[in-house]
Amino acid sequence: MAKVLFLIMSGDDKFDLAMRMAYNSLKNKRYEDVKVIFFGPSQKKLTQIDGEIKNMFQEMLNSKAIDSACIGVAQAMNIKPHLESMGISLMPAGERVSYYVNQGYEVITF
């Protein structure tokens, strides 16, 4: 089975699609492993989630599928404290993506 990394960058309607696909992939064990990284506009969108998407996020966070959001973007957008309060790790996105690619993960980008 393949390992996948969802690299979510969209801050529009594609954000919800990406979250739903990542969540269902994890829940239905479609892959050996599922990880999610947020980068760019998706990080701002992440601070505004509610309802079903927020519940999906929390389940993925609790199951360790959520890897991180980019610390540089979080600082530039002044949302670092908000993301930290949500329990998400903040790390350089480039380093995290390269880590997973070097571990054999396939990248799915939204």
Side-chain angles (χ1 to χ4, degrees):
M1 285 179 68
K3 301 178 284 188
V4 297
L5 168 66
F6 284 86
L7 179 59
I8 303 177
M9 297 184 287
S10 298
D12 56 16
D13 293 338
K14 289 182 229 131
F15 178 91
D16 289 357
L17 295 173
M19 290 292 287
R20 198 169 301 283
M21 182 178 273
Y23 175 79
N24 287 330
S25 294
L26 177 69
K27 190 169 180 96
N28 296 315
K29 298 179 175 31
R30 293 177 179 155
Y31 304 103
E32 179 182 336
D33 193 28
V34 173
K35 295 295 181 193
V36 178
I37 293 176
F38 298 96
F39 182 60
S42 70
Q43 293 178 228
K44 180 72 170 173
K45 178 77 171 177
L46 191 58
T47 66
Q48 302 162 349
I49 59 173
D50 60 4
E52 185 181 20
I53 297 297
K54 187 170 186 172
N55 292 338
M56 289 178 187
F57 168 81
Q58 198 59 53
E59 276 190 57
M60 289 190 288
L61 186 66
N62 292 344
S63 67
K64 309 286 189 230
I66 304 288
D67 179 78
S68 60
C70 182
I71 188 164
V73 172
Q75 289 170 331
M77 291 183 165
N78 295 317
I79 55 173
K80 183 176 179 247
H82 192 149
L83 292 174
E84 288 174 332
S85 73
M86 293 175 73
I88 190 164
S89 297
L90 297 175
M91 296 182 250
E95 289 180 21
R96 297 309 296 157
V97 170
S98 64
Y99 169 80
Y100 285 109
V101 168
N102 288 326
Q103 296 298 312
Y105 282 69
E106 299 288 332
V107 181
I108 300 173
T109 306
F110 279 87

